[in-house]
């Protein structure tokens, strides 16, 4: 579907969404415990968010206005960035090798 949007406005929206995602990922460690669960719960939450983002994009794909679709895209981008950070924590040795193997195996099964 084509939308009559100025390319400059699209660039501004993409930059704003990326900035919002960056801010979310940067403040994630400082957020209350409800946003920053222990492993593997935080990974399961982020993968669930990725699924919801995909479903949101699928459901909003044929809407007449692109704003809701873009919000679903940015939500997906934010939670996928958070899940990558959790995965990198596991791979860089923050966790033991046993818990890393459990988390990676569980995330592959769920994701």
């Amino acid at each position: 579907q084509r939308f009559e949007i100025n390319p400059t406005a699209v660039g501004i929206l993409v930059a704003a969404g990326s900035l919002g995602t960056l801010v979310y990922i940067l403040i994630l460690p400082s957020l209350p415990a409800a946003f920053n669960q222990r492993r593997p719960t935080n990974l399961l939450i982020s993968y669930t968010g990725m699924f919801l983002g995909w479903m949101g994009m699928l459901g909003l794909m044929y809407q007449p206005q692109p704003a809701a679709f873009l919000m679903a895209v940015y939500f997906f981008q934010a939670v996928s960035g958070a899940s990558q950070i959790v995965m990198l924590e596991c791979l860089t040795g923050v966790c033991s090798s046993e818990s890393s193997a459990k988390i990676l195996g569980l995330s592959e099964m769920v994701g």
Side-chain angles (χ1 to χ4, degrees):
Q1 182 173 0
R2 293 184 153 209
F3 298 105
E4 298 297 325
I5 301 176
N6 184 344
T8 303
V10 172
I12 291 171
L13 283 172
V14 169
S18 296
L19 180 63
T21 300
L22 175 67
V23 168
Y24 168 73
I25 290 172
L26 288 176
I27 66 169
L28 185 60
S30 304
L31 291 176
F35 292 95
N36 201 8
Q37 298 286 324
R38 296 178 60 95
R39 287 183 255 355
T41 306
N42 57 358
L43 192 59
L44 291 173
I45 290 171
S46 62
Y47 271 89
T48 302
M50 288 170 56
F51 173 76
L52 293 174
W54 270 113
M55 291 296 105
M57 287 185 284
L58 183 65
L60 297 169
M61 190 166 43
Y62 294 108
Q63 296 295 320
Q65 298 297 323
F69 177 78
L70 286 174
M71 289 175 62
V73 170
Y74 293 139
F75 176 76
F76 175 80
Q77 186 178 359
V79 293
S80 64
S83 69
Q84 287 178 348
I85 289 172
V86 175
M87 298 293 279
L88 286 173
E89 281 181 359
C90 299
L91 294 175
T92 56
V94 174
C95 295
S96 67
S97 61
E98 180 182 340
S99 63
S100 292
K102 287 179 184 176
I103 291 170
L104 291 172
L106 185 60
S107 69
E108 287 297 319
M109 295 298 291
V110 173

